[in-house]
Amino acid sequence: MNNGPLLFLGIFFTIAFSWSGIVLTNLVQQTEAGATQPLFDKDTEKVVPAPMTGDAKQGQQVYAELGCVYCHSQQVRNSLSRDGGTSVDVERNYGRRPNVARDYIQDGRIFLGTMRTGPDLRNVGQRLPSVDWHMQHLYNPQITSKDSIMPPFPFLFEEREIVGEPSPKALRLTGDWAPPPGYEVVPTARAEALVAYLLSLRTDYDLPEAPKSVE
Amino acid sequence: MSSAPSLAAAIDPRTKMPQERAELHQIDESTRVLALIFLGTSAVWLLVGTIFALIASWKLHNPEFLSTQEWLTFGRVRTAHLNTVIYGWATNAGIGVSFWLMARLSRTLLRHAGILYVSGAAWNLAVIVGTFGILRGDGQPVEWLEFPRYVTPLLFVSYALIGVWGIITFRFRRGEHTYVSQWYLLAALFWFPWLYSIAQIMLVFAPTVGVIQALTNWWFAHNVLGLWFTPIGIAASYYFIPKVLGKPIHSYHLSVVGFWALAFFYNWAGVHHLIGGPIPVWVQSAGIVASLMMVIPVIVTAINHHLTVIGSFQQVWNSPTLRFIVFGAMNYTLASLLGSAMALRSVNSVTHFTHFTVGHAHHGMYSFFTMVMFGSIYYMLPRLLRKEWPSAFLINVHFWGTAAGITLYVVALSIGGWIQGMQMNDVKNYPDFLQIMVATKPWLFARTIAGLMIAVGHIAFVVSFVWILIKKRTVEETSPTLFNTPPTLSLKTS
C-alpha cells in the first residue's frame, strides 16, 4: 500500500464502479426499456401518466419551497413480505396499487421522500378530494386534524376586511378559528396552486408493468 | 500569494526542499493558520446549527411555535440545520483535521497555504449565503443538496482546490511508508468533489428523468457520509488512538482489508434508502448486499481500534482526546452494525420512513464523526497554539453534555421510531394515522431534551475554544490538561 498511483487508481475505480452501477446502468436500462416514456391508453384515449397542469406545476414549486418532502413521502411501496401478499401501503389506502418508475416521468422534480412524520401523499387527491378540507388543513391543521404536529401555514392566507360581497374563496371557519366580524380569510395564489398540486396527486390508471389496482 | 513559476515549482515533488525532513513543530506551524481558520469557523457553525436544530425539534411537538414566520417553517429550519452542520460544522472541522494530519503523516510542510485560506473563506461565504437562501425558500428540493444553485459552483470550486491541495501534500510525502490514515484521507479528499459535482449536474443543473433522480440522490447523500465523513473519522481514530496511547495498532495488515472493503462496498449501500420503492429490484438487492458486506470493514476497524485500546482504559479516561475519540470509535462500530441490520428487508419495512432513521443518522454523524472531531481538536489546538486547555471542567461539561445527550437522542428516537414503524404496518389495530403521529410526541419531546443537553456541551466547547485562543501563553505550563493527572505527570511543586 505504499504505491501512490495504484492507491489512486483503486480510489478512482471504486467510485466509478458504483456510479456506473447505480446511476448509469439504471438510466440506460430504463431508457432502453422505454420506461421513461408515457403510454397511450387506447380504451380511454388518454396519455398515461398525464402531463402536469400549469397550476399543479406552480403548486409543486410551493411544495418544494416549504419543505413538505421532509415529512411526507410520495411512493406506494410494494409488499415487503417474501411471499408477495398485499402491500401495507395499499392496505392503508395510500393508493390502489404500488408505484412503478413510469409513474414519475411527468413530475419534473420528484419527491419520493424518506420520511412519514405525516402520511404518504402520492394519492392524496384521490383520498381527500375536497378543496375546502385542504385549505382549512393548510391554514391550521388543528381545524381538521386535532393534535396533528404539522405546522400551520398562515402566511399562505390573507386575513382582510370584507369590502362589498364576501369572497367565494373565503375559508369557512367557525368557532375559535373564525376571523373577527367583517373580516375574511382568503387563500393566496400560492395556497391555491399548492392545493391544485395536492389534488393532482393520484395514480388512477393502470400500467402494463405495474400490479393491478385494487378497488 | 506567490508568483506562478514558484507555484509550479512548489507543487512539483521533484523540487528540492532546503531541508531533507521537516521537523514536527515546523509542520504544525505550516498548518496553523489554515487549521485555525477551518476549526474556528466550524465551531461557529456548530452553534448556528444547534440553534436551528433546537427550533426544528421544538416545532415537532409544538407546531404553533414560530409558525407565522415563513422563513422559520419546519421544512426550512430543519434543512438549514442539516446543511449548516454538514457543510458548516462537519466539513470545516474535517478539512482542518485532514490537512493537519496529512501534513504530519506525510512529514512535509504545507505549501502555499494562501490558496487554502482563500478557498476556506469562499467555502464559508457560500455556506452563509446558501443557508440564507434556504431560509428564504430558494433551496433545491433535493435532500443533502439544498443549497441554492447560485452558491453551489462556488462551493465546488473552493472544495476542488482544497481536495487538490490535499492530494498535492500527499505527493510530497517523505519516506517509503504511507500510514493507513493517509489512504483514507487521500480517498476522502478525492471522492467528495466527484460526488458533489456529479450530483449537482445530474440533480440540479440537468436533472435526469423520474426515479433516476432518487437513485442519484441517495448514491450521493449516503456517500457523503460513507466516502467523505467516515474516512476522515476513521483516519483520525487510526492516528490518535495509537499516538496518545503510545502503542501500535493491533493489526496493521488487517487495515488494508478494511480500507478496500469500505471503498468497494460503502459506495453501493445508499440504495437501501429506497427499499420497496419504484426502482428496479436488482438495484435494491445490490444495495442490501453492499450494506451487509459493510460488516467486513466495520469489524476490521473495530478490531484495530478496540483491541488497541484494551488494557489502557485508564489512559483513555484521563485524556480528553481519547475519551471523545474512543466514544466515537465505539459508536462507529455500533452505528455501522445497526445500519447493516436496517438494510435487511424485514427490519427496513419497520424502520423505513420513521424517526428510527433520524436517530441512526445522528448516531453516525454525531456519536461517531462529531465526537472524533472534538477529540482531534482537543489534541491539535494545544500543539498549534503552544498553550494548554484552560479548564478541565469545561471539557468535562462538554463530554458529558454531548455523550449523554446524543445517547438519549439515539435511544429515544430508536424506540419511538420502532413503535411508529410497527404501528404503521399494523393497519388493523392502527387504522388512523393521526393516532400513530400523536404517539410519537413523547419521543420527540425526549429528543428536544437531548438536544438541550448537547447544546450545553457545545457552549462549553466554544467557551473553551475562545478561551484558549485569547489566553496568554505562560511558561509554567508543562503538562497537558487531563481529567485526572496521573502520578507520573504531576508537577513538582517544591
Side-chain angles (χ1 to χ4, degrees):
Chain A
M1 290 286 286
N2 296 326
N3 188 333
L6 199 64
L7 183 65
F8 194 78
L9 269 180
I11 290 168
F12 175 79
F13 168 74
T14 46
I15 193 165
F17 178 53
S18 72
W19 178 76
S20 321
I22 296 174
V23 179
L24 193 61
T25 309
N26 281 289
L27 185 62
V28 172
Q29 200 181 29
Q30 299 219 340
T31 314
E32 293 276 295
T36 53
Q37 298 298 322
L39 296 179
F40 183 71
D41 188 339
K42 285 204 186 82
D43 299 338
T44 56
E45 301 207 322
K46 275 180 186 159
V47 170
V48 287
M52 282 172 95
T53 63
D55 275 359
K57 269 258 172 267
Q58 287 178 7
Q60 191 194 36
Q61 183 59 34
V62 181
Y63 189 90
E65 284 171 12
L66 296 177
C68 306
V69 66
Y70 301 111
C71 292
H72 295 283
S73 59
Q74 280 190 26
Q75 48 175 315
V76 180
R77 278 179 300 169
N78 281 300
S79 165
L80 290 168
S81 65
R82 206 172 296 241
D83 52 9
T86 31
S87 140
V88 177
D89 288 359
V90 173
E91 250 183 272
R92 202 168 264 292
N93 199 20
Y94 283 161
R96 292 183 187 157
R97 65 168 171 83
N99 283 114
V100 293
R102 200 193 302 269
D103 291 329
Y104 297 89
I105 56 171
Q106 303 278 22
D107 287 17
R109 174 69 65 203
I110 68 161
F111 293 91
L112 281 190
T114 46
M115 192 65 191
R116 284 182 181 164
T117 304
D120 188 89
L121 297 181
R122 191 61 193 169
N123 291 282
V124 70
Q126 215 162 40
R127 196 163 71 231
L128 294 161
S130 155
V131 174
D132 280 0
W133 188 92
H134 282 290
M135 287 297 179
Q136 296 190 347
H137 184 242
L138 289 170
Y139 181 63
N140 196 321
Q142 305 300 325
I143 301 173
T144 56
S145 321
K146 185 135 181 40
D147 293 331
S148 167
I149 58 174
M150 174 164 146
F153 298 98
F155 43 82
L156 293 181
F157 298 84
E158 190 193 346
E159 188 177 288
R160 64 179 189 199
E161 205 173 351
I162 302 173
V163 182
E165 288 292 297
S167 165
K169 288 177 183 165
L171 267 59
R172 277 178 274 280
L173 300 167
T174 52
D176 291 347
W177 303 110
Y183 283 79
E184 61 182 0
V185 175
V186 287
T188 61
R190 294 171 77 204
E192 291 187 73
L194 179 56
V195 172
Y197 172 63
L198 292 173
L199 294 184
S200 80
L201 291 173
R202 48 198 305 146
T203 314
D204 52 4
Y205 49 87
D206 279 313
L207 288 176
E209 70 270 30
K212 277 269 163 284
S213 300
V214 297
E215 283 311 314
Chain B
M1 205 69 60
S2 5
S3 62
S6 82
L7 196 66
I11 59 170
D12 183 353
R14 284 167 304 185
T15 310
K16 284 269 181 287
M17 296 303 291
Q19 73 276 38
E20 267 304 291
R21 183 179 179 282
E23 296 297 331
L24 200 57
H25 72 264
Q26 287 177 310
I27 296 173
D28 278 1
E29 187 70 24
S30 75
T31 63
R32 187 171 57 140
V33 178
L34 171 87
L36 288 178
I37 289 175
F38 281 98
L39 298 181
T41 49
S42 80
V44 175
W45 283 116
L46 182 70
L47 280 190
V48 174
T50 310
I51 293 167
F52 285 135
L54 290 174
I55 297 174
S57 183
W58 192 265
K59 276 168 170 280
L60 265 194
H61 45 83
N62 284 64
E64 298 279 348
F65 178 61
L66 297 176
S67 65
T68 52
Q69 298 299 320
E70 178 167 359
W71 285 47
L72 295 176
T73 192
F74 177 81
R76 295 200 190 155
V77 176
R78 171 220 174 272
T79 309
H81 159 65
L82 185 137
N83 284 275
T84 47
V85 294
I86 293 300
Y87 299 103
W89 151 248
T91 297
N92 273 325
I95 293 170
V97 171
S98 296
F99 270 92
W100 182 82
L101 274 180
M102 192 56 122
R104 267 198 165 199
L105 288 167
S106 301
R107 284 176 245 133
T108 181
L109 298 176
L110 193 64
R111 289 169 184 77
H112 293 275
I115 286 177
L116 292 168
Y117 306 160
V118 176
S119 328
W123 176 270
N124 281 290
L125 178 71
V127 178
I128 294 170
V129 177
T131 308
F132 190 72
I134 288 172
L135 294 174
R136 224 180 132 231
D138 292 345
Q140 292 296 322
V142 182
E143 287 191 65
W144 290 67
L145 281 174
E146 284 97 347
F147 280 139
R149 61 165 78 195
Y150 47 73
V151 297
T152 52
L154 183 58
L155 280 172
F156 174 74
V157 171
S158 44
Y159 185 81
L161 274 174
I162 291 165
V164 166
W165 230 246
I167 292 166
I168 287 172
T169 308
F170 176 73
R171 284 201 66 196
F172 274 109
R173 69 194 180 276
R174 315 229 156 225
E176 279 299 293
H177 187 67
T178 59
Y179 183 62
V180 48
S181 295
Q182 285 170 289
W183 318 333
Y184 281 106
L185 291 175
L186 181 71
L189 288 164
F190 175 78
W191 277 329
F192 186 70
W194 268 76
L195 285 167
Y196 196 76
S197 56
I198 292 178
Q200 282 295 332
I201 292 167
M202 296 192 73
L203 287 166
V204 177
F205 290 102
T208 48
V209 68
V211 297
I212 304 297
Q213 286 174 28
L215 285 165
T216 316
N217 193 174
W218 287 107
W219 171 78
F220 168 77
H222 202 79
N223 281 347
V224 173
L225 268 176
L227 302 185
W228 170 231
F229 294 122
T230 303
I232 294 176
I234 297 180
S237 313
Y238 262 122
Y239 180 76
F240 288 110
I241 293 175
K243 178 86 181 170
V244 180
L245 291 180
K247 58 185 188 185
I249 57 167
H250 182 76
S251 164
Y252 194 74
H253 291 292
L254 261 186
S255 60
V256 181
V257 178
F259 175 77
W260 288 114
L262 177 129
F264 198 73
F265 295 121
Y266 220 141
N267 270 291
W268 278 79
V271 196
H272 64 216
H273 286 272
L274 299 165
I275 294 173
I279 56 162
V281 179
W282 75 263
V283 70
Q284 298 179 30
S285 302
I288 295 170
V289 170
S291 306
L292 289 177
M293 294 302 277
M294 274 305 292
V295 169
I296 297 171
V298 169
I299 295 286
V300 166
T301 311
I303 290 173
N304 271 336
H305 290 170
H306 308 326
L307 292 188
T308 307
V309 165
I310 272 182
S312 310
F313 278 112
Q314 197 55 46
Q315 276 162 279
V316 169
W317 199 243
N318 288 340
S319 150
T321 296
L322 279 192
R323 209 191 269 189
F324 278 98
I325 286 184
V326 171
F327 181 93
M330 282 159 66
N331 277 294
Y332 172 67
T333 310
L334 201 59
S336 303
L337 294 179
L338 278 170
S340 294
M342 283 167 73
L344 293 168
R345 279 175 201 275
S346 51
V347 182
N348 190 272
S349 65
V350 177
T351 60
H352 197 20
F353 299 129
T354 71
H355 297 293
F356 195 101
T357 311
V358 182
H360 177 68
H362 286 79
H363 201 182
M365 263 321 286
Y366 199 102
S367 305
F368 160 52
F369 183 77
T370 294
M371 294 301 258
V372 170
M373 288 299 108
F374 287 145
S376 309
I377 292 171
Y378 280 121
Y379 188 90
M380 286 166 63
L381 277 197
R383 281 151 187 87
L384 291 169
L385 299 168
R386 283 179 285 130
K387 302 182 230 182
E388 289 304 327
W389 288 99
S391 158
F393 171 75
L394 281 176
I395 305 177
N396 235 330
V397 172
H398 179 204
F399 179 77
W400 286 110
T402 52
I406 196 62
T407 306
L408 173 64
Y409 186 113
V410 174
V411 170
L413 286 194
S414 299
I415 300 173
W418 188 266
I419 296 173
Q420 184 194 7
M422 294 299 274
Q423 293 181 344
M424 288 204 293
N425 287 347
D426 185 356
V427 184
K428 208 172 280 168
N429 292 314
Y430 298 92
D432 184 11
F433 189 89
L434 201 55
Q435 188 189 359
I436 302 170
M437 187 202 275
V438 171
T440 60
K441 276 193 195 180
W443 306 104
L444 297 175
F445 187 74
R447 186 247 299 266
T448 299
I449 303 293
L452 287 169
M453 291 162 70
I454 293 170
V456 170
H458 288 171
I459 291 167
F461 168 64
V462 173
V463 170
S464 274
F465 199 112
V466 174
W467 194 351
I468 193 176
L469 281 181
I470 59 174
K471 83 168 196 174
K472 286 225 163 24
R473 192 177 290 134
T474 51
V475 281
E476 292 88 55
E477 282 178 337
T478 49
S479 78
T481 307
L482 300 171
F483 290 125
N484 302 300
T485 310
T488 47
L489 274 178
S490 10
L491 297 174
K492 288 209 174 64
T493 43
S494 55

